[in-house]
Amino acid sequence: MPNQHTRFIFVTGGVLSSLGKGLAAASLAALLQLRGYKVRLRKLEPYINVDPGTMSPYQHGEVYVTDDGAETDLDLGHYERFTNVTATKADAVTTGQIYSEVIAKERRGDFLGATVMVVPHITDAIKAKIFADLEDEDFLICEIGGTVGDIEGLPYLEAIRQIGHELGNSRTLFLHLTLLPYIPSAGELKTKPSQHSVKELQGMGIQPDILLCRCSQPIPHEMKQKLSLFCNIQPDRVIAALDVDTIYQVPIHYHEEGMDRAVCDFFGLKDSKVPDLTPWKNLVQKIREPEGKVEIAIVGKYTQHKDAYKSLVEAITHGGVSQNVDVKVHWIESEDFEENPQKYDEIIHSVNGILVPGGFGKRGTGGKLRAIQYARENKVPYLGICFGMQLAVIEFCRNVLGIENATSTEFCEAGEPVICLLKEWLSASGYETRTEADDLGGSMRLGAYPCNLKKGTKAYNAYGSKEQISERHRHRYEVNMLFKDQMEAQGLIFSGLSPDGHLPEVIENVNHPWFVGVQFHPELKSRPFGPHPLFAAFINAALQQSRIF
Ligand code: GLN
């Protein structure tokens, strides 16, 4: 059982996926925070993977990493960006984790002869995860992944039904997000898919308390009445979630539609503050009315699938806001760039900055290396993130130091390994060790690690003269320290190192206006109200460059 205090808001989705359940949950959390409440967000994922770390970014989008090293769904990024509440391992639950734990218990004999079943054993384990690791939060907003009707989601719906039954209306609220499609031939929004989706939930014993309807135009009053009547929901709890031009408009829009008021009314909370949305309004205004513009190219492998770079795109937006500029991003697919570089001549020659983000594997590395070489030789501001840093080192070793076969053991066994498998490092719990034979899942260097910055470097300046920073990691390979002196002698300096001095964390080129590579993922810690210093500095460098040419 949970503490006596926390209220639970369960967010489910109907009709189809990609309606923005994560953003809906994050926006509601932000509004409740503005009303003075302490919130926490959590995601329950019905898939069988233990975590999304082994999934292709094409299938699942970005893998978001928490401070404590959990590989999670990208919605946790929305949660952190919208609320600034640091997520933990406990906030990312999957069917894979639940079953692994239940089966391990069964093997130990903990069930004492019982036949282990989905109900109650799996559902009890789900409930335990929902109640775990809570302190004095006023609200836990718990998002159920997938769409109502999915076979995988059934145990989760049963578990939250039970919680609703056990804790009652005063402690639990069911919020269901659906779609009202606009049918041009009828000239109107349609309610039928939402009705069916609510029926499906009702069939499982869950009566939604709030219906949030994604729509491309305002919902007429009569339509809200109809949804209210057919879905058994009070009319003022049928809420429009209109399409908006920036995600940071969502909390403002929800507030105008009465979402946070409906939640407080539901729980009988009469004395909560009226939320002041001025900071959000200012943010949206800055995004909509920038004073200038810079153009950058992102050269990566997953450019067809923008979800793979979710946090990166947000961090760039934040960086743009910090400099009052709109950042136009040109996406360049690295393999195509490798094979048809002339196709991109115009873009690559006109952009004010080049960014190579994180990535895995050999495919497309030639295109990334070409972009890095162009940035280095032509003094175009460059930010290399994780793989983008490692490739910047390879490019430098090949083309400046003349180590022609410089490579990474990740994609080439033969050659001079200037990037090698990370075999040992110091974490908060002692030395971690890895070998080539380890499992792929969960075995990278993950989560937040401290890094010491060298005084007077670009990184040090970008971070406002901080000597130690903490950033999140997700990598299996590292820059080979054996080449450090050689690289530094030619201008590629190691401006950030792990506190024990063993692991390179930041490199920069001193013969260049702004060329920085980082082994960590700064995009994961950028916030709309706290743009990441490296993104701010990179966009600033791009802005300076745009003024020169
Ligand atoms: N593939 C590289 C590694 O594992 C870089 C990882 C990344 O960019 N996240 O070290």
Side-chain angles (χ1 to χ4, degrees), residues 11 13 18 26 44 77 81 102 177 228 233 235 250 255 260 280 355 370 387 403 455-456 463 465 507 509-510 514 539:
V11 180
S18 304
L44 309 183
R81 283 188 285 274
V102 170
L177 173 67
S228 156
I233 295 170
V250 176
H255 176 66
D260 45 311
W280 290 88
L355 191 154
R370 178 185 286 275
F387 204 35
I403 309 172
K455 277 195 184 143
Y463 279 93
S465 308
I507 52 121
N509 191 325
V510 294
W514 209 88
I539 301 298

Side-chain angles (χ1 to χ4, degrees), residues 85-368:
V85 175
T86 305
T88 73
K89 282 191 163 94
D91 300 320
V93 177
T94 69
T95 298
Q97 288 168 22
I98 303 265
Y99 272 79
S100 307
E101 287 173 22
V102 170
I103 292 170
K105 267 178 141 180
E106 185 275 332
R107 292 289 80 186
R108 279 200 307 269
D110 290 0
F111 292 113
L112 297 175
T115 306
V116 182
M117 314 280 279
V118 172
V119 184
H121 300 99
I122 296 296
T123 45
D124 280 354
I126 294 172
K127 285 157 71 179
K129 292 278 188 199
I130 293 172
F131 297 147
D133 190 37
L134 290 177
E135 290 164 1
D136 54 349
E137 287 85 355
D138 298 305
F139 290 99
L140 175 74
I141 302 181
C142 209
E143 179 189 347
I144 313 293
T147 307
V148 167
D150 296 345
I151 291 176
E152 288 83 0
L154 292 175
Y156 291 93
L157 296 177
E158 170 58 14
I160 64 173
R161 180 199 69 75
Q162 290 181 13
I163 294 176
H165 171 74
E166 285 159 9
L167 299 183
N169 269 351
S170 62
R171 302 274 306 275
T172 49
L173 184 159
F174 295 102
L175 187 153
H176 191 52
L177 173 67
T178 66
L179 174 72
L180 298 186
Y182 178 78
I183 304 298
S185 58
E188 59 177 14
L189 298 168
K190 288 290 179 187
T191 63
K192 194 72 82 188
S194 298
Q195 293 179 41
H196 281 297
S197 177
V198 169
K199 279 222 168 63
E200 181 112 25
L201 268 180
Q202 287 168 336
M204 285 176 286
I206 295 173
Q207 167 62 54
D209 302 301
I210 292 183
L211 193 66
L212 184 60
C213 306
R214 225 10 233 282
C215 48
S216 54
Q217 33 205 296
I219 311 175
H221 178 70
E222 323 74 69
M223 195 169 279
K224 281 196 179 176
Q225 295 289 339
K226 180 176 169 184
L227 278 164
S228 156
L229 187 64
F230 289 9
C231 299
N232 205 24
I233 295 170
Q234 288 185 24
D236 58 350
R237 294 181 187 161
V238 176
I239 293 171
L242 263 169
D243 300 344
V244 286
D245 58 343
T246 151
I247 57 169
Y248 299 111
Q249 175 69 15
V250 176
I252 302 169
H253 172 59
Y254 281 5
H255 176 66
E256 287 165 357
E257 292 292 326
M259 165 87 123
D260 45 311
R261 199 182 49 234
V263 169
C264 291
D265 283 352
F266 177 88
F267 286 118
L269 299 167
K270 301 205 184 331
D271 51 357
S272 64
K273 284 195 274 182
V274 176
D276 175 10
L277 282 136
T278 314
W280 290 88
K281 288 181 179 159
N282 291 342
L283 172 69
V284 168
Q285 197 200 338
K286 280 193 154 195
I287 292 173
R288 286 184 183 155
E289 292 164 29
E291 285 164 14
K293 182 179 174 185
V294 298
E295 304 203 14
I296 64 162
I298 298 183
V299 186
K301 201 160 70 169
Y302 318 109
T303 49
Q304 301 306 317
H305 192 71
K306 300 293 178 309
D307 269 3
Y309 298 114
K310 198 77 176 182
S311 296
L312 181 65
V313 173
E314 293 311 317
I316 288 169
T317 304
H318 308 156
V321 166
S322 78
Q323 306 299 309
N324 277 321
V325 293
D326 175 37
V327 185
K328 164 125 186 65
V329 175
H330 297 273
W331 295 94
I332 299 184
E333 206 279 316
S334 49
E335 206 174 11
D336 196 31
F337 185 51
E338 184 172 356
E339 284 157 15
N340 308 297
Q342 64 298 340
K343 205 167 120 185
Y344 298 95
D345 269 356
E346 209 181 310
I347 297 178
I348 217 79
H349 292 154
S350 66
V351 290
N352 315 115
I354 293 177
L355 191 154
V356 174
F360 293 85
K362 185 170 181 14
R363 189 167 64 77
T365 47
K368 294 178 189 176

Side-chain angles (χ1 to χ4, degrees), residues 357-361 385-388 390 408 410 419-420 422 444 473-478 519 521:
F360 293 85
I385 297 177
C386 207
F387 204 35
Q390 297 176 356
S408 166
E410 175 172 8
I419 312 291
C420 339
L422 183 49
M444 282 188 257
H473 295 68
R474 182 173 186 252
H475 65 119
R476 206 182 295 286
Y477 299 86
E478 59 162 332
Q519 186 57 78
H521 289 271

